[in-house]
Structure formats: structure tokens, C-alpha cells
């Protein structure tokens, strides 16, 4: 869990930084937010994906940022 979570959290950090630069406000939800804030050890909460909340009008810009990072 620790290794996978670290990979996911590092990728998320990079994507969130680019979303911020693109003016796309997002809120990280559910497991990823809990792993980073509630659990004392981020390896305790297995992560498989990342859930984010954003306004519909930012979707195209967010998808472009995600694509630049290799996500689809």
C-alpha cells in the first residue's frame, strides 16, 4: 500500500499544481483526502484512484491537464 499510495500521491501533487496554474479549482475527495489528512500512516488507507470535485465549466481544461500527465 505504501509504495502504491506514494506513487498516486506524487502524481496527484503534480496534477494539482498544474490545475492550479491553469486556474482550475478542485477539491480532493474521499480516500485520497482521508489518507493525506486523517490517517497517521498513509499506507493504512489503500488508494486505487483519485476523486476530485470541480465545476463543469472547468472540465475541458482539467482533462487537458490530466492528459498532459498521461491520464485519460
Amino acid at each position: 500500500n505504501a509504495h502504491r499510495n506514494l506513487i498516486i500521491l506524487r502524481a496527484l501533487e503534480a496534477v494539482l499544481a498544474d490545475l492550479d496554474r491553469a486556474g482550475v479549482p478542485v477539491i480532493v475527495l474521499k480516500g485520497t483526502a482521508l489518507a493525506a489528512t486523517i490517517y497517521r500512516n498513509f499506507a493504512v488507507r489503500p488508494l486505487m484512484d483519485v476523486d476530485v470535485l470541480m465545476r463543469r465549466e472547468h472540465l475541458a481544461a482539467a482533462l487537458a491537464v490530466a492528459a498532459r500527465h498521461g491520464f485519460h
Side-chain angles (χ1 to χ4, degrees), residues 30-53:
K30 299 171 39 177
T32 308
L34 293 174
T37 60
I38 302 298
Y39 294 99
R40 290 187 177 175
N41 181 343
F42 72 93
V44 174
R45 175 65 165 89
L47 300 177
M48 302 306 284
D49 62 2
V50 175
D51 298 289
V52 295
L53 178 68

Side-chain angles (χ1 to χ4, degrees), residues 2-53:
H3 185 256
R4 181 183 56 246
N5 288 1
L6 186 58
I7 291 168
I8 291 170
L9 293 173
R10 284 189 176 160
L12 176 62
E13 184 178 83
V15 171
L16 290 176
D18 282 352
L19 288 170
D20 185 54
R21 282 190 283 277
V24 178
V26 299
I27 299 172
V28 179
L29 302 172
K30 299 171 39 177
T32 308
L34 293 174
T37 60
I38 302 298
Y39 294 99
R40 290 187 177 175
N41 181 343
F42 72 93
V44 174
R45 175 65 165 89
L47 300 177
M48 302 306 284
D49 62 2
V50 175
D51 298 289
V52 295
L53 178 68

